[in-house]
Amino acid sequence: MEIKRDSYLQQLISYRFDGLVKVITGIRRCGKSYLLKNIYRDYLLQNGVKDEQIITIELDLAKDIKFRNPLLLSSYVREKIGGKKEEHYLFVDEIQMSDKVANPYNKDGNKITFYDALNDLRSLPNLDVYVTGSNSKMLSSDILTEFRGRSDEIRVHPLSFAEYYSAVGGDKNDAFDDYAFYGGMPLILSRPNDAAKMSYLKSLFTEVYLMDIVERKRIERQDVLEQILDLLCSSIGSLTNPTKIANTLRSKQGTGVSANTIRAYIRHLEDAFLFSESRRYDVKGKSYFDSPNKYYSEDIGLRNARIGFRQQEMTHIMENIIYNELIHRQFSVDVGVVYARAVNGKGNSIRIPKEIDFVVTAGGKKTYIQSAYAMPTAEKEEAELRPFALTGDFFPKIVVRKDIGKRWYDENGILNINLIDFLLDKELIGDRAF
């Protein structure tokens, strides 16, 4: 079964031999290694690069364990390409498994790390360097931080619906139903049945993600971390903040934890690429609110697994999938806030905030998007469309729906489009980088 990940491949091609280290980041098990060692490698081989010009180091395997010493890694690669004019490519997988070693010229000084080795190697004019890695010792976001200014990031996500459908084919609606339930972690496609898929997704949390965070951040209250995780999974797309979560834990769980601790734990979940924060943006005031904000799961299947495949409210699931699609396309995504005027009981004019699900920025252009599972009544239609009229501008406006077939524009120029069509139309919004 072939999975096409063309957007990431195009990024790698565009960064080829630009003098920087290519750092492939993303949640664990989302396909970073496969992208580098299979998809990109195949591209190079099909375009004139010989097999011996690609040096692959897999630090998680016994055959390459000696190269966890960054000095040996650097020495090996230099010896491998020394005196050769041909372009070479270095793939280092699971880079976080590299060791720190004493500086042989200054034993009391700072230790030598893989950062030193790779920065040394990237200076070679005929070598292009690529790395992947994430685990409890060092998640990919840390690797990127160390190379800031000397690296390109290729952020890899779980499969988009288009990528998923390219592999499974068949009826689009049936494929979407499976995708909305099990999500887009690549190995889901090879699980033999529903029970195996559910078990795999649940194990990712208990055996991989949580353990990574607990060990790496030395979490003392794993119970609190898990309670926060459950709350975020249960309330995807809902406004919240650390204080609100702390109050919820206190009232429902009897857990007394400060808002600062909650904030730190949420940050750990974001650093591990499990959740993304979408901030609220005042459309007319052109400024951000401090809080509350929304949080979306990196993969809807992981979210569903965490809460036992309950709470299958398609309105929230659909919103999360749309958000992930927009992020996958490298757009900047905020929650839009506009204001309507009303009169209160005392006869005073007041401002009432209205929400636009997504304010999407691409190539300096905005697009406003509402996620509406269905608009069966005039009242529902008014509630969904009213915020668009309050923006005071003429940027494109889209309602993504599950209750219509073909796309159409209403008398105000608002595009109504079916969810699946939206997910498969890569050219619908703005200027895309890839």
Side-chain angles (χ1 to χ4, degrees), residues 12-28:
L12 288 169
I13 294 170
S14 72
Y15 294 145
R16 189 175 170 185
F17 268 95
D18 64 356
L20 303 180
V21 176
K22 268 61 73 174
V23 184
I24 301 175
T25 69
I27 190 172
R28 295 194 69 185

Side-chain angles (χ1 to χ4, degrees), residues 4 34 45 96 124 166 185 195 218 225 229 239 247 251-252 294 326 337 341 343-344 386 400 421 433:
K4 295 181 179 180
Y34 185 85
L45 294 176
Q96 77 286 338
L124 298 174
S166 75
M185 298 302 286
R218 298 188 177 94
L225 178 66
L229 181 58
L239 293 172
N247 292 337
S251 62
K252 291 187 176 181
K294 291 187 177 184
L326 296 169
V337 178
R341 285 287 178 181
V343 178
N344 63 15
R386 175 62 173 157
V400 183
D421 286 347

Side-chain angles (χ1 to χ4, degrees), residues 227-254:
Q227 289 168 13
I228 295 170
L229 181 58
D230 291 339
L231 282 173
L232 292 180
C233 286
S234 297
S235 60
I236 52 172
S238 299
L239 293 172
T240 191
N241 59 33
T243 299
K244 183 178 180 180
I245 292 175
N247 292 337
T248 299
L249 293 180
R250 189 176 296 109
S251 62
K252 291 187 176 181
Q253 310 289 344

Side-chain angles (χ1 to χ4, degrees), residues 172-400:
K172 292 178 182 177
N173 288 293
D174 290 342
F176 178 79
D177 289 344
D178 286 341
Y179 181 78
F181 195 78
Y182 294 116
M185 298 302 286
L187 278 179
I188 280 294
L189 297 176
S190 64
R191 301 300 91 180
N193 52 50
D194 291 345
K197 293 176 182 179
M198 291 181 182
S199 177
Y200 171 69
L201 290 171
K202 289 178 180 178
S203 70
L204 284 179
F205 266 118
T206 57
E207 299 173 17
V208 179
Y209 302 135
L210 282 173
M211 290 303 99
D212 275 352
I213 297 172
V214 169
E215 294 174 11
R216 175 174 173 264
K217 296 296 184 180
R218 298 188 177 94
I219 299 296
E220 297 181 358
R221 295 293 305 273
Q222 182 175 338
D223 60 325
V224 172
L225 178 66
E226 295 200 42
Q227 289 168 13
I228 295 170
L229 181 58
D230 291 339
L231 282 173
L232 292 180
C233 286
S234 297
S235 60
I236 52 172
S238 299
L239 293 172
T240 191
N241 59 33
T243 299
K244 183 178 180 180
I245 292 175
N247 292 337
T248 299
L249 293 180
R250 189 176 296 109
S251 62
K252 291 187 176 181
Q253 310 289 344
T255 305
V257 183
S258 71
N260 285 336
T261 297
I262 300 294
R263 185 175 293 106
Y265 281 14
I266 291 176
R267 192 175 300 116
H268 298 336
L269 293 171
E270 290 183 273
D271 287 344
F273 304 112
L274 284 169
F275 284 90
S276 295
E277 179 187 56
S278 187
R279 298 178 64 192
R280 289 195 307 151
Y281 178 75
D282 185 336
V283 172
K284 286 192 172 181
K286 295 180 172 55
S287 61
Y288 286 95
F289 297 89
D290 290 333
S291 67
N293 296 311
K294 291 187 177 184
Y295 293 90
Y296 293 100
S297 176
E298 174 74 355
D299 179 74
I300 199 65
L302 289 173
R303 176 263 183 186
N304 292 340
R306 180 63 198 180
I307 57 177
F309 294 94
R310 299 182 296 273
Q311 293 183 241
Q312 294 299 302
E313 321 93 327
M314 184 49 67
T315 52
H316 297 300
I317 289 174
M318 175 176 163
E319 185 176 330
N320 202 136
I321 289 174
I322 293 173
Y323 175 84
N324 287 346
E325 178 66 27
L326 296 169
I327 295 299
H328 183 273
R329 297 184 192 185
Q330 302 181 55
F331 297 146
S332 173
V333 185
D334 300 309
V335 180
V337 178
V338 291
Y339 292 92
R341 285 287 178 181
V343 178
N344 63 15
K346 297 181 180 180
N348 297 323
S349 177
I350 58 173
R351 295 199 311 166
I352 299 177
K354 301 290 183 179
E355 183 177 292
I356 299 173
D357 290 328
F358 305 115
V359 179
V360 182
T361 304
K365 301 177 183 178
K366 287 182 185 176
T367 301
Y368 300 113
I369 298 176
Q370 291 287 45
S371 171
Y373 182 75
M375 297 194 298
T377 65
E379 290 77 14
K380 176 63 174 176
E381 183 176 342
E382 162 68 16
E384 294 290 352
L385 300 184
R386 175 62 173 157
F388 285 159
L390 298 171
T391 62
D393 60 42
F394 298 96
F395 288 114
K397 299 170 178 65
I398 301 173
V399 181
V400 183

Side-chain angles (χ1 to χ4, degrees), residues 422-433:
F422 174 83
L423 296 175
L424 295 178
D425 189 341
K426 298 180 180 180
E427 306 301 327
L428 185 64
I429 303 173
D431 299 322
R432 300 181 66 254

